[in-house]
Amino acid sequence: MSTEAPEINIDRDKGDFSYAEDYAYDAGIGLNPGTIDYISKVKGEDAWVNEFRHKALKIFEDKPMPTHWASEDLNSIKFQDVRYYLSKGQKPSRTWDEVPDDVKQTFERLGIPEQERAFLAGVEAQFDSEAAYSRMKEEMEKLGVIFVGPHEGLHEHPEIFKRFFGKVIPIGDNKFSALNSACFSGGSFIYVPKGVKVAQPLQAYFRINAENFGQFERTLIIADEGAEITYMEGCTAPKFDTATLHSAVVELVALKGAKIQYITVQNWSNNVFNLVTKRGMAEEDAEIRWIDCNIGSRLTMKYPGVVLKGERARGEVLSIALANDGQHQDTGAKMIHAASNTTSNVISKSISIGQGRSTYRGQVHIPKRLSNCKNNTECDALLINANSRTDTYPAITVRGDHNSVQHEASVSKVSAEQIFYMQQRGLKEAQAMSLAVNGFVNDLVREFPMEYSVELKRLIDMEMEGSVG
Amino acid sequence: MSLVTTPVNEKFSDENFRHHLDAFWLNVPWVQELKENSWREYQELRPPVRTDEHWRFTDLRKLKLEGFSPSQEPEEAQKAAVLEQSNVVGSPAGRLVFGDNFLIDFDGVSGELAAKGVIWMPLSQAVVEHPELVQKYFLNEENRLGSEKLLALHNAFFHGGSFLYVPKGVEIEQPLCAYYWSIGCNEAIFPHTLLVVEDNAKVDFVDYYGSYGDDCCSTLSCGVGTIYAGQGAQVFRKIVQNFNEETLSFQLEANIASRDSSVKTIAVNLGSAYARLQNHTRIVGPGADVKMYGLTIAKGEQEFDQRTLQIHEAPHAVSDLLFKNVLLDDSRTIFSGLIKVDKDAQQTDAYQTNRNLLLSKSAEANSLPGLEIEANDVKCSHGATTGQVDENELFYLMARGIPRATAYELLVYGFFEEIVEKISNEDLRENVRLLVRKKFAQ
């Protein structure tokens, strides 16, 4: 019996559809100061935002490509061929009826309306770079929760959002955060007032629909003292002939005692470069939790981080990565301890199928003068086929008093005994394999909200199709 | 030799290099050629920069090579003093002692071993007497973990060094020892150990690096070591680095393990202001068993920079790494290891563990344990932990009437012991234990 198969044919047609492009605003191809002024003008932005964008563009241009440690594949991004801004010219809609028909059609296939009816407190669905649809249940508004796009956030609520905008992730954090800061459009700005616990998750769907069009969402979530919020983000994208670029920046701020949970299921099509910077700042007694699942894209580089700024703050990253043929999931986590008695936990599971490559990069930093900080990191990699590949590159720095850090990583394959056992009980080899893989990620999948874990299980089953046999 | 005693312009200048060639390698054209190439390479290579992954976390400000010059022959009294200390092993099978690259003492192997074909002599003698043999192995092994420029400097300027060749099936019971002493201030030494161990042969080897004076001004040591283990060969090499705390030390190891061979290395790091240890081990035959151990005691402002690479090119092999670091005062350690498993290396078992014991609030332990796995039927894992002496363990001992300070010391010694007890030679084990405890208790 063999559990290896060189032949892998994955159905990559999910989300493989698009509609005619007729964009009311188009900043053209390529990035220059003119593009930025154009975006600012269309949006009617305040002068300081325009200034912020120009500063970011300069930093983006000055920073070298990080290929001394990252994949050489980054060099195949042609920044001058990308469209940096597109918009339907719509203001975010308040009701479903106001959403244009073709946009609705797209969302229909993504299943948004059902999900919303069934479950969601609010939908901020993004069609290309603008929010196409935005609504919140009335009780949310009554509670004082603000859920808007970045432009409205910065323009209408500067007193809330300006304070933290670009503070958790400064412009110059890396080349791609600078790119996003220069040309961001779309995304979510959320403020949860003191003590408000949002019982239901807020959700946004992102979608890329114009060829060669980079999507640069900007998300800023602020949970005020004692507030709690869960935010979910799922992605699908149509397939295109040339590579598309996606570079988001997500900043989370959890003030004293607040809790933020940010859930991502990323399933871009196989030609998308997904270069995302995500970081949260946790004040005293606050908790930030990233649940991150990467299934699609050509190259994903994403290392969600938590800066544990206040005493007893807690940070957590739970991540699942699935890399199939032609994919490189370069993911990881950063835990920056900046106060005593802080704890962090990282659990990362990756599955490489066919010639897929998954990489874990992690950073844990505990500086001097801190005491009683704890970090636990576990990275497990599963290799399905003989030519699958996995890498682990953690970096751990510890100083100070009574801090303890442990890191463990393991690499394994699905054991022949397990498959044999299940086959003895009448399962087909592929079913057995799928079951074993689902078992490998099961304890993490359980952490996802119900409909996501169902979707995830289905996605894993789909990816496993044809990987054995 | 008289040429060398004439004062030359300090630093590694072209003039110095010509001088070096004329003084030591006049009659060995192939070495001259190798050195010419290395000298050119040294001048072309750029010094390490912070953004280079191989130098991540290293405090590059400490690496100033400008002040050092090629070494001069030590005085007789100095030679006698270091010779007296060249005794970490009681009755070695052979011994070479170098001071500032110059040969001080040479104890050859017994007539019996020589008759079996064992070659043991200074490298400079071997290149003349056994040119084909040396040429086959000398500096042919890849050693790319970031110190290429230093390796080029070593290759251009070395002249001391030890060469051991053990023919097929010959087993040497007692260890062979090489001592490399640094004596002159602001001078550079270039230790070199080349071990060629043929199929089914067995050898135990000890390298000791030390300084003549405890509070000497700064010196540079840039050493290279290579083990070629043939099929079924068993090699066990122990390296004790005990330079004074003003030394910059680079120890560049490149090892090869063939089919069914056993290659074991233990590196005990005690001295130097900055000490970098690179161990680049290639596993080229199935059934090979590689063990890499390290024990470091970091005090004061010392920085220990350890970079290891375990490359599995062949299937069914095992490699296991354990580096333990104890950190006191304001010291720093960096452990950066990588296990690389090639596509064809199925059924590999590879492990890597780094344990850091932080005994001071201002010490800093950096750990970068890496894996690059391209084969799927493997067992690979790595672990890194950084922590303090366990309060529960302390409590347990104190509950049995042991004072806290003693209990603490016992637990720290226990931490060292896991590595120390792996040293097979009793003399060396006891000497290392003493050195380690002395350094810890100072």
Side-chain angles (χ1 to χ4, degrees):
Chain A
M1 192 204 66
S2 152
T3 55
E4 290 175 13
E7 197 67 33
I8 291 133
N9 287 309
I10 300 303
D11 177 17
R12 290 236 147 251
D13 290 342
K14 47 182 187 278
D16 185 12
F17 54 91
S18 66
Y19 298 91
E21 302 164 21
D22 61 338
Y23 296 103
Y25 294 99
D26 179 350
I29 294 168
L31 185 59
N32 55 57
T35 323
I36 280 171
D37 287 335
Y38 180 85
I39 298 173
S40 286
K41 206 178 107 203
V42 170
K43 290 180 164 287
E45 277 174 351
D46 301 338
W48 73 270
V49 183
N50 182 262
E51 229 167 82
F52 178 89
R53 288 180 187 273
H54 277 289
K55 200 173 140 201
L57 178 65
K58 183 126 195 2
I59 293 174
F60 167 71
E61 283 167 348
D62 291 347
K63 274 203 181 279
M65 203 58 121
T67 41
H68 64 281
W69 59 268
S71 167
E72 291 286 335
D73 199 19
L74 284 176
N75 288 328
S76 40
I77 303 172
K78 293 191 173 58
F79 290 104
Q80 287 313 313
D81 293 347
V82 172
R83 286 172 194 275
Y84 288 86
Y85 181 71
L86 275 175
S87 166
K88 273 288 192 191
Q90 322 139 311
K91 294 278 164 215
S93 318
R94 295 301 298 170
T95 69
W96 185 246
D97 291 339
E98 289 170 38
V99 177
D101 280 347
D102 59 335
V103 177
K104 258 190 212 168
Q105 233 178 319
T106 308
F107 288 141
E108 203 80 45
R109 281 207 61 181
L110 295 179
I112 285 185
E114 290 84 22
Q115 297 222 3
E116 199 235 343
R117 273 198 297 272
F119 189 74
L120 298 173
V123 167
E124 180 84 352
Q126 181 174 3
F127 180 82
D128 291 344
S129 44
E130 276 304 317
Y133 176 80
S134 161
R135 197 174 73 107
M136 274 203 294
K137 293 249 167 81
E138 278 173 20
E139 58 263 41
M140 283 295 137
E141 273 177 8
K142 264 188 240 156
L143 290 172
V145 175
I146 302 172
F147 185 5
V148 293
H151 173 62
E152 291 154 281
L154 293 175
H155 191 67
E156 288 163 26
H157 307 280
E159 75 289 353
I160 294 172
F161 293 111
K162 198 178 168 181
R163 191 175 146 211
F164 290 110
F165 175 71
K167 295 298 192 303
V168 183
I169 301 173
I171 300 171
D173 187 75
N174 63 72
K175 190 171 174 79
F176 300 100
S177 66
L179 175 65
N180 177 284
S181 303
C183 54
F184 66 91
S185 57
S188 309
F189 274 41
I190 299 171
Y191 170 76
V192 187
K194 264 185 200 174
V196 172
K197 294 183 168 57
V198 182
Q200 309 228 303
L202 297 176
Q203 185 163 0
Y205 264 78
F206 297 110
R207 178 106 161 69
I208 296 180
N209 200 15
E211 189 165 356
N212 263 351
F213 170 52
Q215 200 162 3
F216 304 96
E217 313 95 30
R218 185 94 195 182
T219 295
L220 172 58
I221 300 175
I222 302 167
D224 212 325
E225 290 180 16
E228 287 178 19
I229 179 180
T230 296
Y231 184 81
M232 299 201 286
E233 165 201 54
C235 314
T236 63
K239 197 185 259 175
F240 291 118
D241 291 325
T242 49
T244 47
L245 174 62
H246 175 95
S247 182
V249 165
V250 178
E251 296 174 289
L252 307 183
V253 178
L255 298 178
K256 194 175 172 184
K259 279 186 185 170
I260 303 179
Q261 181 161 266
Y262 193 103
I263 303 168
T264 309
V265 175
Q266 178 270 114
N267 191 21
W268 300 112
S269 71
N270 247 6
N271 51 356
V272 171
F273 283 93
N274 184 39
L275 311 166
V276 180
T277 312
K278 289 183 167 174
R279 194 171 304 152
M281 192 181 78
E283 299 270 5
E284 231 173 290
D285 296 305
E287 183 182 318
I288 290 181
R289 206 167 185 226
W290 296 97
I291 299 182
D292 207 69
C293 178
N294 296 290
I295 294 169
S297 84
R298 166 176 170 173
L299 170 67
T300 284
M301 285 172 64
K302 179 168 30 166
Y303 320 102
V306 182
V307 180
L308 300 149
K309 213 179 152 213
E311 287 219 10
R312 295 173 301 282
R314 196 179 134 71
E316 190 163 32
V317 173
L318 305 178
S319 81
I320 297 175
L322 215 141
N324 214 317
D325 284 338
Q327 289 187 297
H328 184 182
Q329 304 288 10
D330 196 330
T331 61
K334 280 185 183 180
M335 290 296 171
I336 311 298
H337 291 254
S340 293
N341 301 307
T342 49
T343 54
S344 59
N345 186 33
V346 178
I347 299 178
S348 157
K349 301 221 176 194
S350 71
I351 303 155
S352 308
I353 309 170
Q355 295 187 27
R357 177 178 174 191
S358 56
T359 302
Y360 172 86
R361 279 180 219 277
Q363 192 188 357
V364 175
H365 188 82
I366 303 182
K368 60 179 170 187
R369 287 188 295 278
L370 300 191
S371 59
N372 300 315
C373 297
K374 284 190 175 64
N375 165 269
N376 175 53
T377 306
E378 290 168 39
C379 314
D380 294 321
L382 192 65
L383 297 169
I384 302 294
N385 300 89
N387 44 5
S388 310
R389 173 168 183 188
T390 183
D391 317 302
T392 314
Y393 306 107
I396 305 157
T397 301
V398 188
R399 286 180 162 194
D401 183 21
H402 283 87
N403 300 314
S404 77
V405 170
Q406 52 181 4
H407 172 102
E408 256 183 274
S410 73
V411 177
S412 56
K413 68 164 198 165
V414 176
S415 80
E417 285 83 5
Q418 273 182 25
I419 301 292
F420 179 73
Y421 179 90
M422 285 187 270
Q423 281 185 302
Q424 288 305 297
R425 272 138 194 87
L427 288 174
K428 290 200 173 65
E429 192 182 350
Q431 287 175 313
M433 199 66 173
S434 205
L435 206 59
V437 172
N438 268 303
F440 174 73
V441 291
N442 194 40
D443 50 339
L444 281 193
V445 170
R446 271 200 308 234
E447 300 289 331
F448 285 67
M450 227 267 284
E451 86 276 18
Y452 267 62
S453 60
V454 171
E455 200 179 308
L456 210 60
K457 190 182 170 312
R458 202 172 53 82
L459 279 167
I460 290 172
D461 284 345
M462 274 167 69
E463 295 288 332
M464 294 308 298
E465 276 169 21
S467 66
V468 290
Chain B
M1 293 286 167
S2 63
L3 274 169
V4 189
T5 50
T6 52
V8 278
N9 288 339
E10 55 166 25
K11 293 159 196 179
F12 299 104
S13 61
D14 203 52
E15 195 188 341
N16 263 343
F17 175 69
R18 301 288 144 213
H19 200 89
H20 168 84
L21 281 191
D22 292 346
F24 304 104
W25 305 101
L26 208 52
N27 302 316
V28 201
W30 72 269
V31 175
Q32 281 190 11
E33 193 190 325
L34 185 149
K35 283 179 166 274
E36 292 277 5
N37 291 337
S38 300
W39 177 237
R40 210 172 308 123
E41 205 185 332
Y42 171 74
Q43 288 166 311
E44 285 164 6
L45 285 167
R46 53 154 210 198
V49 289
R50 201 176 50 84
T51 49
D52 187 341
E53 275 297 292
H54 286 308
W55 293 89
R56 192 167 171 194
F57 294 122
T58 303
D59 185 358
L60 291 172
R61 288 167 305 178
K62 289 186 180 164
L63 307 186
K64 295 265 183 292
L65 303 181
E66 289 80 17
F68 303 103
S69 55
S71 60
Q72 318 252 330
E73 186 156 6
E75 293 160 18
E76 289 308 319
Q78 293 171 325
K79 284 182 179 178
V82 296
L83 188 58
E84 205 172 301
Q85 296 174 57
S86 302
N87 58 356
V88 289
V89 174
S91 44
R95 181 176 76 156
L96 279 166
V97 182
F98 297 90
D100 279 351
N101 303 319
F102 289 84
L103 182 65
I104 293 178
D105 188 52
F106 173 27
D107 298 336
V109 290
S110 65
E112 192 192 342
L113 287 175
K116 285 182 182 165
V118 173
I119 301 169
W120 166 244
M121 57 179 62
L123 192 56
S124 50
Q125 189 182 337
V127 298
V128 178
E129 290 178 18
H130 305 278
E132 293 85 20
L133 190 62
V134 177
Q135 240 170 325
K136 193 172 159 196
Y137 299 101
F138 186 58
L139 293 173
N140 285 339
E141 192 47 30
E142 215 183 332
N143 196 336
R144 304 218 164 263
L145 282 169
S147 297
E148 288 78 5
K149 193 175 172 79
L150 289 142
L151 181 63
L153 181 68
H154 170 95
N155 295 348
F157 279 95
F158 82 89
H159 61 97
S162 317
F163 177 73
L164 175 68
Y165 173 79
V166 188
K168 278 184 188 170
V170 176
E171 297 192 0
I172 306 177
E173 283 311 317
Q174 283 299 313
L176 287 112
C177 305
Y179 294 84
Y180 300 98
W181 295 96
S182 166
I183 297 171
C185 287
N186 295 320
E187 292 184 353
I189 64 166
F190 300 99
H192 195 113
T193 297
L194 175 55
L195 309 182
V196 180
V197 185
E198 290 270 27
D199 298 355
N200 301 316
K202 184 181 170 187
V203 74
D204 195 3
F205 199 92
V206 180
D207 290 74
Y208 182 91
Y209 302 86
S211 300
Y212 165 67
D214 275 344
D215 297 309
C216 178
C217 41
S218 105
T219 57
L220 171 70
S221 167
C222 183
V224 170
T226 308
I227 299 172
Y228 278 89
Q231 293 194 9
Q234 295 176 56
V235 187
F236 191 3
R237 179 164 175 223
K238 277 86 63 169
I239 302 165
V240 180
Q241 186 270 104
N242 192 24
F243 286 121
N244 71 33
E245 293 188 12
E246 294 294 327
T247 303
L248 288 185
S249 163
F250 296 86
Q251 182 69 36
L252 316 176
E253 305 289 327
N255 302 331
I256 285 211
S258 308
R259 184 180 193 109
D260 297 325
S261 64
S262 154
V263 175
K264 242 199 277 188
T265 51
I266 295 184
V268 180
N269 302 298
L270 302 170
S272 301
Y274 169 86
R276 184 176 171 104
L277 174 74
Q278 293 185 185
N279 188 327
H280 183 295
T281 297
R282 259 189 339 128
I283 296 157
V284 298
D289 181 9
V290 169
K291 301 265 190 290
M292 293 153 78
Y293 301 116
L295 173 61
T296 299
I297 290 110
K299 283 187 94 167
E301 294 192 351
Q302 284 187 304
E303 176 167 330
F304 290 90
D305 193 355
Q306 302 154 344
R307 312 274 163 168
T308 66
L309 181 56
Q310 294 151 266
I311 310 176
H312 282 262
E313 295 178 8
H316 298 280
V318 179
S319 71
D320 192 2
L321 177 148
L322 173 62
F323 271 57
K324 300 187 92 171
N325 299 326
V326 181
L327 294 97
L328 299 114
D329 308 331
D330 296 321
S331 61
R332 294 181 86 219
T333 62
I334 300 149
F335 169 79
S336 166
L338 185 65
I339 297 177
K340 204 168 173 318
V341 179
D342 285 358
K343 277 192 184 64
D344 304 322
Q346 299 288 5
Q347 268 95 41
T348 289
D349 276 7
Y351 307 98
Q352 184 192 59
T353 310
N354 171 222
R355 304 237 176 275
N356 300 311
L357 187 60
L358 273 180
L359 298 181
S360 129
K361 289 180 189 179
S362 44
E364 176 183 318
N366 297 283
S367 201
L368 295 131
L371 299 175
E372 280 181 11
I373 315 290
E374 292 189 59
N376 71 329
D377 191 5
V378 299
K379 278 188 222 150
C380 287
S381 70
H382 66 200
T385 56
T386 302
Q388 287 72 31
V389 170
D390 188 348
E391 283 296 329
N392 290 327
E393 291 173 9
L394 271 178
F395 178 79
Y396 180 91
L397 290 174
M398 284 161 71
R400 271 139 195 86
I402 298 167
R404 189 181 171 92
T406 315
Y408 184 82
E409 209 176 73
L410 271 174
L411 289 171
V412 175
Y413 288 172
F415 184 85
F416 302 144
E417 202 54 30
E418 190 182 355
I419 303 285
V420 175
E421 70 181 13
K422 293 184 195 299
I423 298 173
S424 50
N425 183 283
E426 212 173 303
D427 290 343
L428 184 65
R429 191 168 60 230
E430 203 41 54
N431 280 322
V432 166
R433 206 171 269 147
L434 285 174
L435 282 172
V436 164
R437 291 182 183 186
K438 188 176 145 208
K439 168 134 191 218
F440 177 72
Q442 250 168 24

